[in-house]
Amino acid sequence: MANFIIITITTLFLLLSSSLATATTTTKDVPFIVAHKKATLTRLKSGTDRVSVSIDIYNQGSSTAYDVTLNDDNWPRDTFTVVTGNTSQSWERLDAGGILSHSIELETNTKGVFYGVPAIITFRIPTKAALQVAYSTPILPLDILTDKPAEQKLDLAKRLLAKYGSQISVISIVSLFVYLLMTPTKPNSAKGGKKKR
């Protein structure tokens, strides 16, 4: 359910930002950077959590962005250890309509809730001397090393009914209708024997 909400919010954000990009780039030939940051937790057997972070950078504008730099240095060193990847990355260019992706993996053994901040993306436009700055979407709070209660069977049934209830009811009604159409009707003579005169 939470993943559905995240995907819906992200999709709306990307649609709104792309429509804003279309509205602002009709008068100018500039890049428009949209970045989406997401993080997932995986519990390891060693009693630590692994955080997989991926950042996708989209150029929704009509021209190329140059000297694109991603900086995601907001992970506290006393809480998180970088396992793979770097917290910063640079690219020479990002063409109009292009996508760049970057991912890192971190490990932590500190229990608690972590509130992440957006990553910072800087880029250069040939017509302007100053660096341009864009921010990624923030991540949802990470509940690190929390004890998750065992899920009850009834809770699973409730979630499935809430998620697929309307589809199940439509399929049930359609199949009942088809069943009623396909079953043969009995003639009147078979019901009561002979007719009385």
Side-chain angles (χ1 to χ4, degrees):
M1 185 70 174
N3 286 339
F4 177 73
I5 294 171
I6 293 168
I7 291 170
T8 305
I9 291 172
T10 304
T11 305
L12 288 174
F13 176 76
L14 289 175
L15 287 174
L16 287 174
S17 61
S18 66
S19 65
L20 287 174
T22 305
T24 58
T25 57
T26 54
T27 58
K28 296 183 179 179
D29 190 27
V30 295
F32 184 79
I33 303 297
V34 177
H36 175 62
K37 177 180 176 181
K38 57 187 169 199
T40 56
L41 279 174
T42 307
R43 177 74 48 95
L44 301 177
K45 290 184 180 179
S46 61
T48 62
D49 271 354
R50 179 163 290 183
V51 182
S52 300
V53 181
S54 66
I55 302 169
D56 297 324
I57 305 169
Y58 305 90
N59 183 353
Q60 298 289 328
S62 58
S63 68
T64 302
Y66 295 95
D67 300 329
V68 179
T69 303
L70 166 70
N71 189 358
D72 191 25
D73 253 349
N74 55 21
W75 303 94
R77 302 277 184 234
D78 58 336
T79 307
F80 295 96
T81 305
V82 177
V83 178
T84 59
N86 295 317
T87 56
S88 62
Q89 178 74 34
S90 295
W91 297 272
E92 184 179 327
R93 62 189 288 157
L94 176 56
D95 294 325
I99 301 171
L100 297 173
S101 294
H102 180 69
S103 60
I104 59 173
E105 287 191 358
L106 306 132
E107 277 190 9
T108 182
N109 57 5
T110 306
K111 188 175 185 175
V113 178
F114 176 74
Y115 297 93
V117 297
I120 300 171
I121 297 98
T122 58
F123 59 98
R124 188 175 53 79
I125 300 174
T127 58
K128 295 185 180 180
L131 281 176
Q132 305 298 307
V133 178
Y135 297 95
S136 72
T137 56
I139 59 172
L140 293 174
L142 297 174
D143 209 0
I144 300 170
L145 293 173
T146 58
D147 300 325
K148 300 195 168 110
E151 195 168 350
Q152 303 283 333
K153 287 184 181 180
L154 188 58
D155 292 338
L156 177 64
K158 285 180 184 178
R159 281 192 303 129
L160 288 175
L161 188 60
K163 188 173 185 179
Y164 300 110
S166 59
Q167 289 94 346
I168 291 171
S169 63
V170 168
I171 290 171
S172 299
I173 291 170
V174 168
S175 53
L176 179 64
F177 180 72
V178 169
Y179 174 74
L180 290 174
L181 286 178
M182 300 305 285
T183 54
T185 58
K186 297 180 182 178
N188 287 338
S189 61
K191 285 185 182 177
K194 294 183 178 180
K195 290 184 180 180
K196 293 183 181 178
R197 292 186 179 199

